[in-house]
Amino acid sequence: DEALISLGVLSDGKTAAEAVASNAQTTQALLDAVSAQPNHGVTTTGLSLSPIISYDPATNVGTVVGFRATN
């Protein structure tokens, strides 16, 4: 018998570096917790980074207000 579980980590930050650093720290804590269990086979699939944009409805102009990292 085997179970497959997918987990994700999402982190927001004011800068790209802040979002990635926060995501790395949380992802490592998650990996450490899962790896402490017997018979684990933990893998990661990748990191993505995207801007968080706020649009002004009056001008329809977007402004980057932060960044989101997902793993």
Short mmCIF file of all heavy atoms in Angstrom, two decimals:
data_model
loop_
_atom_site.label_atom_id
_atom_site.label_comp_id
_atom_site.label_asym_id
_atom_site.label_seq_id
_atom_site.Cartn_x
_atom_site.Cartn_y
_atom_site.Cartn_z
N ASP A 1 0.83 -1.19 0.00
CA ASP A 1 0.00 0.00 0.00
C ASP A 1 0.87 1.25 0.00
O ASP A 1 1.94 1.26 0.59
CB ASP A 1 -0.90 0.02 1.24
CG ASP A 1 -1.89 -1.14 1.22
OD1 ASP A 1 -2.21 -1.63 0.14
OD2 ASP A 1 -2.36 -1.53 2.31
N GLU A 2 0.37 2.25 -0.65
CA GLU A 2 1.13 3.49 -0.75
C GLU A 2 0.16 4.66 -0.78
O GLU A 2 -0.93 4.58 -1.33
CB GLU A 2 1.94 3.49 -2.05
CG GLU A 2 2.82 4.68 -2.22
CD GLU A 2 3.69 4.59 -3.46
OE1 GLU A 2 4.00 3.47 -3.91
OE2 GLU A 2 4.06 5.64 -3.98
N ALA A 3 0.56 5.76 -0.15
CA ALA A 3 -0.22 6.99 -0.17
C ALA A 3 0.62 8.09 -0.80
O ALA A 3 1.82 8.17 -0.56
CB ALA A 3 -0.63 7.40 1.24
N LEU A 4 -0.01 8.89 -1.62
CA LEU A 4 0.65 10.02 -2.24
C LEU A 4 -0.02 11.28 -1.74
O LEU A 4 -1.23 11.44 -1.89
CB LEU A 4 0.54 9.93 -3.77
CG LEU A 4 1.11 11.09 -4.56
CD1 LEU A 4 2.61 11.20 -4.33
CD2 LEU A 4 0.81 10.92 -6.03
N ILE A 5 0.77 12.16 -1.13
CA ILE A 5 0.25 13.40 -0.56
C ILE A 5 1.01 14.56 -1.18
O ILE A 5 2.24 14.55 -1.21
CB ILE A 5 0.41 13.42 0.97
CG1 ILE A 5 -0.36 12.26 1.59
CG2 ILE A 5 -0.05 14.74 1.54
CD1 ILE A 5 -0.09 12.06 3.06
N SER A 6 0.28 15.54 -1.67
CA SER A 6 0.90 16.75 -2.22
C SER A 6 0.69 17.90 -1.24
O SER A 6 -0.43 18.14 -0.81
CB SER A 6 0.28 17.11 -3.56
OG SER A 6 0.54 16.11 -4.51
N LEU A 7 1.77 18.57 -0.92
CA LEU A 7 1.72 19.72 -0.02
C LEU A 7 2.33 20.91 -0.73
O LEU A 7 3.23 20.76 -1.55
CB LEU A 7 2.50 19.44 1.28
CG LEU A 7 2.05 18.22 2.08
CD1 LEU A 7 3.04 17.93 3.18
CD2 LEU A 7 0.67 18.46 2.65
N GLY A 8 1.88 22.09 -0.40
CA GLY A 8 2.44 23.29 -1.01
C GLY A 8 2.74 24.33 0.04
O GLY A 8 2.13 24.35 1.11
N VAL A 9 3.71 25.17 -0.27
CA VAL A 9 4.07 26.28 0.61
C VAL A 9 3.96 27.56 -0.21
O VAL A 9 4.51 27.65 -1.30
CB VAL A 9 5.51 26.12 1.15
CG1 VAL A 9 5.91 27.32 1.98
CG2 VAL A 9 5.63 24.84 1.97
N LEU A 10 3.21 28.52 0.31
CA LEU A 10 3.02 29.81 -0.34
C LEU A 10 3.48 30.89 0.61
O LEU A 10 3.09 30.90 1.78
CB LEU A 10 1.53 29.99 -0.67
CG LEU A 10 1.15 31.25 -1.39
CD1 LEU A 10 0.12 30.93 -2.45
CD2 LEU A 10 0.60 32.27 -0.44
N SER A 11 4.34 31.80 0.14
CA SER A 11 4.89 32.86 0.97
C SER A 11 4.85 34.18 0.22
O SER A 11 5.21 34.24 -0.96
CB SER A 11 6.34 32.56 1.35
OG SER A 11 6.44 31.30 1.98
N ASP A 12 4.40 35.23 0.90
CA ASP A 12 4.39 36.58 0.32
C ASP A 12 5.45 37.43 1.00
O ASP A 12 5.75 37.24 2.18
CB ASP A 12 3.03 37.25 0.52
CG ASP A 12 1.93 36.62 -0.30
OD1 ASP A 12 2.23 35.81 -1.19
OD2 ASP A 12 0.75 36.94 -0.05
N GLY A 13 6.01 38.37 0.25
CA GLY A 13 6.99 39.30 0.81
C GLY A 13 6.98 40.60 0.05
O GLY A 13 6.48 40.69 -1.07
N LYS A 14 7.55 41.63 0.67
CA LYS A 14 7.62 42.93 0.01
C LYS A 14 8.62 42.92 -1.14
O LYS A 14 8.47 43.66 -2.11
CB LYS A 14 7.99 44.01 1.02
CG LYS A 14 6.88 44.28 2.01
CD LYS A 14 7.22 45.42 2.94
CE LYS A 14 6.06 45.60 3.92
NZ LYS A 14 6.20 46.80 4.72
N THR A 15 9.65 42.07 -1.03
CA THR A 15 10.63 41.92 -2.10
C THR A 15 10.66 40.46 -2.53
O THR A 15 10.22 39.56 -1.79
CB THR A 15 12.04 42.33 -1.63
OG1 THR A 15 12.48 41.41 -0.63
CG2 THR A 15 12.06 43.76 -1.09
N ALA A 16 11.21 40.23 -3.72
CA ALA A 16 11.34 38.86 -4.21
C ALA A 16 12.23 38.03 -3.28
O ALA A 16 11.91 36.89 -2.95
CB ALA A 16 11.90 38.85 -5.64
N ALA A 17 13.32 38.63 -2.83
CA ALA A 17 14.25 37.92 -1.94
C ALA A 17 13.57 37.55 -0.62
O ALA A 17 13.78 36.45 -0.10
CB ALA A 17 15.48 38.79 -1.67
N GLU A 18 12.75 38.45 -0.10
CA GLU A 18 12.04 38.17 1.16
C GLU A 18 11.05 37.02 0.99
O GLU A 18 10.96 36.13 1.84
CB GLU A 18 11.30 39.43 1.61
CG GLU A 18 10.59 39.32 2.94
CD GLU A 18 9.86 40.60 3.29
OE1 GLU A 18 10.51 41.66 3.39
OE2 GLU A 18 8.62 40.54 3.46
N ALA A 19 10.32 37.02 -0.12
CA ALA A 19 9.35 35.95 -0.37
C ALA A 19 10.05 34.60 -0.53
O ALA A 19 9.61 33.60 0.03
CB ALA A 19 8.52 36.28 -1.61
N VAL A 20 11.14 34.57 -1.28
CA VAL A 20 11.88 33.32 -1.50
C VAL A 20 12.51 32.81 -0.21
O VAL A 20 12.46 31.62 0.10
CB VAL A 20 12.94 33.50 -2.61
CG1 VAL A 20 13.87 32.30 -2.68
CG2 VAL A 20 12.26 33.72 -3.96
N ALA A 21 13.10 33.71 0.59
CA ALA A 21 13.72 33.30 1.85
C ALA A 21 12.69 32.74 2.82
O ALA A 21 12.93 31.71 3.47
CB ALA A 21 14.46 34.48 2.48
N SER A 22 11.55 33.39 2.91
CA SER A 22 10.49 32.91 3.79
C SER A 22 9.98 31.55 3.32
O SER A 22 9.76 30.64 4.13
CB SER A 22 9.34 33.92 3.81
OG SER A 22 8.26 33.43 4.56
N ASN A 23 9.83 31.40 2.01
CA ASN A 23 9.36 30.14 1.46
C ASN A 23 10.35 29.02 1.72
O ASN A 23 9.98 27.90 2.08
CB ASN A 23 9.09 30.28 -0.04
CG ASN A 23 8.34 29.11 -0.60
OD1 ASN A 23 8.95 28.13 -0.99
ND2 ASN A 23 7.03 29.22 -0.62
N ALA A 24 11.64 29.31 1.56
CA ALA A 24 12.68 28.30 1.80
C ALA A 24 12.67 27.83 3.25
O ALA A 24 12.79 26.63 3.52
CB ALA A 24 14.04 28.86 1.43
N GLN A 25 12.51 28.77 4.17
CA GLN A 25 12.50 28.42 5.60
C GLN A 25 11.29 27.54 5.94
O GLN A 25 11.43 26.53 6.63
CB GLN A 25 12.48 29.70 6.44
CG GLN A 25 12.53 29.44 7.92
CD GLN A 25 12.55 30.74 8.72
OE1 GLN A 25 12.19 31.81 8.23
NE2 GLN A 25 12.96 30.65 9.96
N THR A 26 10.12 27.91 5.44
CA THR A 26 8.92 27.13 5.73
C THR A 26 8.97 25.77 5.05
O THR A 26 8.60 24.75 5.64
CB THR A 26 7.66 27.90 5.28
OG1 THR A 26 7.65 29.18 5.93
CG2 THR A 26 6.40 27.16 5.65
N THR A 27 9.47 25.73 3.81
CA THR A 27 9.59 24.46 3.10
C THR A 27 10.55 23.52 3.82
O THR A 27 10.27 22.32 3.96
CB THR A 27 10.05 24.70 1.65
OG1 THR A 27 9.07 25.50 0.97
CG2 THR A 27 10.24 23.39 0.90
N GLN A 28 11.66 24.05 4.31
CA GLN A 28 12.62 23.22 5.04
C GLN A 28 12.00 22.66 6.31
O GLN A 28 12.20 21.48 6.65
CB GLN A 28 13.89 23.99 5.37
CG GLN A 28 14.99 23.10 5.93
CD GLN A 28 15.39 21.99 4.98
OE1 GLN A 28 15.74 22.26 3.84
NE2 GLN A 28 15.33 20.74 5.42
N ALA A 29 11.23 23.47 7.03
CA ALA A 29 10.55 22.99 8.24
C ALA A 29 9.57 21.87 7.90
O ALA A 29 9.47 20.87 8.63
CB ALA A 29 9.84 24.14 8.94
N LEU A 30 8.86 22.02 6.80
CA LEU A 30 7.92 20.98 6.37
C LEU A 30 8.66 19.70 5.99
O LEU A 30 8.28 18.60 6.41
CB LEU A 30 7.10 21.48 5.17
CG LEU A 30 6.14 20.49 4.55
CD1 LEU A 30 5.04 20.11 5.52
CD2 LEU A 30 5.55 21.07 3.28
N LEU A 31 9.75 19.82 5.24
CA LEU A 31 10.54 18.65 4.86
C LEU A 31 11.13 17.95 6.08
O LEU A 31 11.14 16.72 6.16
CB LEU A 31 11.65 19.05 3.90
CG LEU A 31 11.21 19.48 2.51
CD1 LEU A 31 12.40 20.02 1.72
CD2 LEU A 31 10.55 18.34 1.77
N ASP A 32 11.60 18.73 7.05
CA ASP A 32 12.15 18.14 8.27
C ASP A 32 11.09 17.36 9.04
O ASP A 32 11.35 16.26 9.53
CB ASP A 32 12.74 19.23 9.18
CG ASP A 32 14.00 19.86 8.61
OD1 ASP A 32 14.59 19.30 7.66
OD2 ASP A 32 14.39 20.94 9.11
N ALA A 33 9.89 17.91 9.12
CA ALA A 33 8.81 17.23 9.84
C ALA A 33 8.40 15.93 9.15
O ALA A 33 8.23 14.90 9.80
CB ALA A 33 7.61 18.16 9.97
N VAL A 34 8.28 15.97 7.84
CA VAL A 34 7.87 14.77 7.10
C VAL A 34 8.99 13.74 7.10
O VAL A 34 8.75 12.54 7.23
CB VAL A 34 7.45 15.15 5.66
CG1 VAL A 34 7.21 13.91 4.82
CG2 VAL A 34 6.20 16.02 5.69
N SER A 35 10.22 14.20 6.97
CA SER A 35 11.36 13.28 6.92
C SER A 35 11.59 12.57 8.25
O SER A 35 12.23 11.52 8.28
CB SER A 35 12.64 14.03 6.53
OG SER A 35 12.51 14.53 5.22
N ALA A 36 11.07 13.11 9.33
CA ALA A 36 11.22 12.47 10.64
C ALA A 36 10.35 11.23 10.77
O ALA A 36 10.55 10.42 11.67
CB ALA A 36 10.87 13.47 11.75
N GLN A 37 9.40 11.06 9.85
CA GLN A 37 8.51 9.91 9.90
C GLN A 37 9.15 8.72 9.17
O GLN A 37 9.92 8.91 8.23
CB GLN A 37 7.16 10.25 9.24
CG GLN A 37 6.46 11.42 9.87
CD GLN A 37 6.23 11.23 11.35
OE1 GLN A 37 5.74 10.19 11.79
NE2 GLN A 37 6.60 12.23 12.14
N PRO A 38 8.83 7.49 9.60
CA PRO A 38 9.41 6.32 8.93
C PRO A 38 8.85 6.15 7.51
O PRO A 38 7.74 6.60 7.22
CB PRO A 38 8.99 5.16 9.83
CG PRO A 38 7.80 5.64 10.57
CD PRO A 38 7.96 7.13 10.70
N ASN A 39 9.65 5.53 6.67
CA ASN A 39 9.24 5.18 5.31
C ASN A 39 8.82 6.38 4.47
O ASN A 39 7.83 6.34 3.76
CB ASN A 39 8.10 4.15 5.34
CG ASN A 39 8.51 2.88 6.04
OD1 ASN A 39 9.62 2.40 5.86
ND2 ASN A 39 7.63 2.35 6.86
N HIS A 40 9.56 7.43 4.57
CA HIS A 40 9.21 8.61 3.77
C HIS A 40 9.99 8.61 2.46
O HIS A 40 11.06 8.05 2.36
CB HIS A 40 9.53 9.89 4.55
CG HIS A 40 10.99 10.12 4.74
ND1 HIS A 40 11.70 9.49 5.73
CD2 HIS A 40 11.88 10.86 4.05
CE1 HIS A 40 12.98 9.85 5.64
NE2 HIS A 40 13.11 10.69 4.63
N GLY A 41 9.42 9.23 1.49
CA GLY A 41 10.08 9.43 0.20
C GLY A 41 9.71 10.83 -0.25
O GLY A 41 8.79 11.02 -1.03
N VAL A 42 10.38 11.82 0.28
CA VAL A 42 10.01 13.21 0.05
C VAL A 42 10.77 13.77 -1.15
O VAL A 42 11.98 13.61 -1.26
CB VAL A 42 10.32 14.06 1.31
CG1 VAL A 42 9.95 15.51 1.08
CG2 VAL A 42 9.60 13.51 2.52
N THR A 43 10.04 14.42 -2.03
CA THR A 43 10.65 15.14 -3.14
C THR A 43 9.99 16.51 -3.26
O THR A 43 8.87 16.71 -2.81
CB THR A 43 10.47 14.39 -4.47
OG1 THR A 43 9.08 14.26 -4.75
CG2 THR A 43 11.12 13.03 -4.44
N THR A 44 10.71 17.44 -3.85
CA THR A 44 10.12 18.74 -4.15
C THR A 44 10.04 18.87 -5.66
O THR A 44 10.78 18.21 -6.40
CB THR A 44 10.95 19.90 -3.57
OG1 THR A 44 12.28 19.85 -4.10
CG2 THR A 44 11.03 19.82 -2.05
N THR A 45 9.14 19.73 -6.12
CA THR A 45 8.92 19.83 -7.56
C THR A 45 9.37 21.15 -8.16
O THR A 45 9.49 21.26 -9.36
CB THR A 45 7.44 19.62 -7.91
OG1 THR A 45 6.66 20.59 -7.23
CG2 THR A 45 7.00 18.22 -7.54
N GLY A 46 9.60 22.16 -7.36
CA GLY A 46 10.10 23.40 -7.93
C GLY A 46 9.59 24.63 -7.20
O GLY A 46 8.63 24.59 -6.45
N LEU A 47 10.25 25.72 -7.48
CA LEU A 47 9.93 27.00 -6.88
C LEU A 47 9.47 27.94 -7.98
O LEU A 47 10.05 27.96 -9.07
CB LEU A 47 11.18 27.58 -6.20
CG LEU A 47 11.07 28.99 -5.62
CD1 LEU A 47 10.16 28.99 -4.41
CD2 LEU A 47 12.44 29.51 -5.27
N SER A 48 8.41 28.70 -7.70
CA SER A 48 8.00 29.73 -8.65
C SER A 48 7.86 31.05 -7.89
O SER A 48 7.59 31.07 -6.69
CB SER A 48 6.69 29.37 -9.35
OG SER A 48 5.62 29.36 -8.44
N LEU A 49 8.06 32.13 -8.61
CA LEU A 49 8.00 33.47 -8.03
C LEU A 49 7.20 34.35 -8.97
O LEU A 49 7.45 34.34 -10.18
CB LEU A 49 9.41 34.02 -7.85
CG LEU A 49 9.54 35.40 -7.22
CD1 LEU A 49 9.10 35.37 -5.77
CD2 LEU A 49 10.97 35.90 -7.34
N SER A 50 6.24 35.09 -8.42
CA SER A 50 5.45 35.99 -9.26
C SER A 50 5.16 37.28 -8.50
O SER A 50 5.11 37.30 -7.27
CB SER A 50 4.14 35.31 -9.68
OG SER A 50 3.41 34.91 -8.55
N PRO A 51 4.97 38.37 -9.25
CA PRO A 51 4.65 39.64 -8.59
C PRO A 51 3.20 39.67 -8.12
O PRO A 51 2.33 39.02 -8.71
CB PRO A 51 4.89 40.67 -9.68
CG PRO A 51 4.65 39.94 -10.95
CD PRO A 51 5.10 38.52 -10.68
N ILE A 52 2.96 40.40 -7.06
CA ILE A 52 1.60 40.68 -6.60
C ILE A 52 1.30 42.10 -7.09
O ILE A 52 2.02 43.04 -6.74
CB ILE A 52 1.47 40.60 -5.07
CG1 ILE A 52 1.87 39.20 -4.59
CG2 ILE A 52 0.06 40.96 -4.63
CD1 ILE A 52 2.01 39.09 -3.08
N ILE A 53 0.29 42.24 -7.92
CA ILE A 53 0.00 43.53 -8.55
C ILE A 53 -1.34 44.07 -8.06
O ILE A 53 -2.33 43.35 -8.01
CB ILE A 53 -0.01 43.39 -10.08
CG1 ILE A 53 1.35 42.87 -10.56
CG2 ILE A 53 -0.37 44.71 -10.75
CD1 ILE A 53 1.42 42.54 -12.03
N SER A 54 -1.34 45.33 -7.70
CA SER A 54 -2.56 46.03 -7.30
C SER A 54 -2.92 47.00 -8.43
O SER A 54 -2.08 47.78 -8.88
CB SER A 54 -2.32 46.79 -6.00
OG SER A 54 -3.48 47.54 -5.67
N TYR A 55 -4.17 46.92 -8.89
CA TYR A 55 -4.62 47.78 -9.98
C TYR A 55 -5.45 48.94 -9.45
O TYR A 55 -6.34 48.76 -8.62
CB TYR A 55 -5.44 46.98 -11.00
CG TYR A 55 -4.58 46.07 -11.83
CD1 TYR A 55 -4.41 44.74 -11.48
CD2 TYR A 55 -3.93 46.55 -12.96
CE1 TYR A 55 -3.61 43.90 -12.24
CE2 TYR A 55 -3.13 45.73 -13.73
CZ TYR A 55 -2.98 44.40 -13.37
OH TYR A 55 -2.18 43.58 -14.12
N ASP A 56 -5.17 50.14 -9.94
CA ASP A 56 -5.96 51.33 -9.62
C ASP A 56 -7.14 51.35 -10.59
O ASP A 56 -6.94 51.49 -11.81
CB ASP A 56 -5.10 52.58 -9.79
CG ASP A 56 -5.84 53.86 -9.45
OD1 ASP A 56 -7.09 53.84 -9.40
OD2 ASP A 56 -5.16 54.88 -9.24
N PRO A 57 -8.37 51.23 -10.09
CA PRO A 57 -9.52 51.17 -10.99
C PRO A 57 -9.75 52.47 -11.77
O PRO A 57 -10.31 52.45 -12.86
CB PRO A 57 -10.70 50.86 -10.07
CG PRO A 57 -10.24 51.17 -8.70
CD PRO A 57 -8.75 51.08 -8.70
N ALA A 58 -9.30 53.57 -11.23
CA ALA A 58 -9.50 54.86 -11.91
C ALA A 58 -8.59 54.99 -13.13
O ALA A 58 -9.00 55.53 -14.16
CB ALA A 58 -9.25 56.01 -10.94
N THR A 59 -7.37 54.50 -13.02
CA THR A 59 -6.40 54.65 -14.11
C THR A 59 -6.12 53.34 -14.84
O THR A 59 -5.50 53.34 -15.88
CB THR A 59 -5.07 55.21 -13.58
OG1 THR A 59 -4.52 54.25 -12.65
CG2 THR A 59 -5.26 56.55 -12.91
N ASN A 60 -6.55 52.23 -14.24
CA ASN A 60 -6.28 50.90 -14.76
C ASN A 60 -4.78 50.64 -14.89
O ASN A 60 -4.32 49.93 -15.77
CB ASN A 60 -6.98 50.65 -16.09
CG ASN A 60 -7.18 49.17 -16.36
OD1 ASN A 60 -7.25 48.37 -15.43
ND2 ASN A 60 -7.26 48.80 -17.62
N VAL A 61 -4.01 51.23 -13.98
CA VAL A 61 -2.56 51.05 -13.95
C VAL A 61 -2.22 50.11 -12.79
O VAL A 61 -2.72 50.28 -11.67
CB VAL A 61 -1.85 52.41 -13.78
CG1 VAL A 61 -0.35 52.21 -13.57
CG2 VAL A 61 -2.12 53.30 -14.97
N GLY A 62 -1.37 49.16 -13.09
CA GLY A 62 -0.95 48.20 -12.07
C GLY A 62 0.36 48.61 -11.42
O GLY A 62 1.23 49.17 -12.07
N THR A 63 0.45 48.32 -10.13
CA THR A 63 1.66 48.59 -9.36
C THR A 63 2.06 47.32 -8.63
O THR A 63 1.20 46.68 -8.00
CB THR A 63 1.42 49.72 -8.33
OG1 THR A 63 0.96 50.87 -9.03
CG2 THR A 63 2.68 50.04 -7.57
N VAL A 64 3.32 46.96 -8.70
CA VAL A 64 3.81 45.80 -7.96
C VAL A 64 3.87 46.17 -6.48
O VAL A 64 4.53 47.13 -6.10
CB VAL A 64 5.20 45.35 -8.46
CG1 VAL A 64 5.75 44.22 -7.61
CG2 VAL A 64 5.13 44.93 -9.92
N VAL A 65 3.14 45.41 -5.65
CA VAL A 65 3.09 45.69 -4.22
C VAL A 65 3.79 44.61 -3.39
O VAL A 65 3.88 44.71 -2.17
CB VAL A 65 1.63 45.87 -3.73
CG1 VAL A 65 1.00 47.10 -4.37
CG2 VAL A 65 0.80 44.63 -4.00
N GLY A 66 4.27 43.57 -4.05
CA GLY A 66 4.96 42.50 -3.35
C GLY A 66 5.23 41.34 -4.30
O GLY A 66 5.01 41.45 -5.50
N PHE A 67 5.67 40.24 -3.71
CA PHE A 67 5.97 39.05 -4.49
C PHE A 67 5.45 37.81 -3.77
O PHE A 67 5.37 37.78 -2.54
CB PHE A 67 7.49 38.93 -4.71
CG PHE A 67 8.01 40.00 -5.61
CD1 PHE A 67 8.40 41.23 -5.11
CD2 PHE A 67 8.09 39.80 -6.98
CE1 PHE A 67 8.86 42.23 -5.94
CE2 PHE A 67 8.56 40.78 -7.82
CZ PHE A 67 8.94 42.01 -7.30
N ARG A 68 5.11 36.77 -4.54
CA ARG A 68 4.63 35.51 -3.99
C ARG A 68 5.49 34.37 -4.49
O ARG A 68 5.70 34.21 -5.69
CB ARG A 68 3.17 35.29 -4.42
CG ARG A 68 2.61 33.96 -3.97
CD ARG A 68 1.10 33.92 -4.09
NE ARG A 68 0.55 34.83 -3.11
CZ ARG A 68 -0.56 35.55 -3.30
NH1 ARG A 68 -1.21 35.49 -4.42
NH2 ARG A 68 -0.99 36.33 -2.33
N ALA A 69 6.02 33.60 -3.55
CA ALA A 69 6.81 32.42 -3.87
C ALA A 69 5.99 31.18 -3.51
O ALA A 69 5.35 31.15 -2.45
CB ALA A 69 8.13 32.43 -3.08
N THR A 70 6.02 30.19 -4.38
CA THR A 70 5.33 28.93 -4.10
C THR A 70 6.30 27.78 -4.37
O THR A 70 7.16 27.85 -5.24
CB THR A 70 4.06 28.75 -4.98
OG1 THR A 70 4.43 28.83 -6.35
CG2 THR A 70 3.03 29.81 -4.66
N ASN A 71 6.13 26.73 -3.59
CA ASN A 71 6.97 25.55 -3.74
C ASN A 71 6.08 24.34 -3.51
O ASN A 71 5.25 24.33 -2.65
CB ASN A 71 8.10 25.57 -2.72
CG ASN A 71 9.19 24.56 -3.02
OD1 ASN A 71 9.01 23.65 -3.83
ND2 ASN A 71 10.31 24.71 -2.37
#
